[in-house]
């Protein structure tokens, strides 16, 4: 079975959560997508790199979600979401995925 890199899972959670919330007009449903992907990524982070790294990346994931809101007012919603998703994916790759 092919393992999806945690960077892809995390970025997909941020982008997918926003897309689901926007297109269904149900923010809670987007939150479920965001949370499920975040939990899956965190499990991979912990398994590969340990609790401290997993905690830091989970914090970055939550901060990216929160930070995308004010950033969207400056650059637009899609660029903000893609930007923060790319940042989390890059951090995940550097700290976890290239080790695996």
């Amino acid at each position: 079975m092919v393992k999806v890199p945690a960077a892809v899972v995390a970025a997909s959670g941020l982008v997918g959560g926003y897309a689901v919330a926007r297109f269904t007009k149900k923010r809670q449903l987007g939150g479920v997508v965001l949370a499920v992907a975040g939990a899956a990524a965190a499990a991979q982070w912990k398994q590969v790199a340990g609790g401290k790294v997993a905690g830091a990346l989970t914090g970055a994931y939550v901060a990216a979600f929160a930070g995308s809101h004010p950033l969207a007012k400056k650059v637009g919603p899609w660029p903000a979401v893609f930007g923060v998703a790319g940042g989390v994916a890059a951090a995940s790759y550097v700290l976890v995925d290239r080790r695996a």
Side-chain angles (χ1 to χ4, degrees):
M1 186 167 177
V2 177
K3 185 175 181 181
V4 178
V8 173
V9 174
S12 297
L14 290 161
V15 173
Y18 174 68
V20 167
R22 180 175 177 133
F23 295 121
T24 65
K25 301 202 184 328
K26 298 193 185 306
R27 294 178 69 177
Q28 298 86 350
L29 191 56
V32 169
V33 171
L34 180 80
V36 168
Q44 282 186 263
W45 293 330
K46 185 174 181 183
Q47 181 182 20
V48 174
K52 288 184 180 182
V53 171
L57 287 171
T58 300
Y61 185 81
V62 172
F65 167 70
S68 69
H69 291 82
L71 183 59
K73 292 180 182 186
K74 297 190 183 303
V75 300
W78 283 110
V81 170
F82 285 129
V84 299
V88 170
S92 178
Y93 175 77
V94 168
L95 297 173
V96 177
D97 291 331
R98 70 178 177 174
R99 290 181 178 185

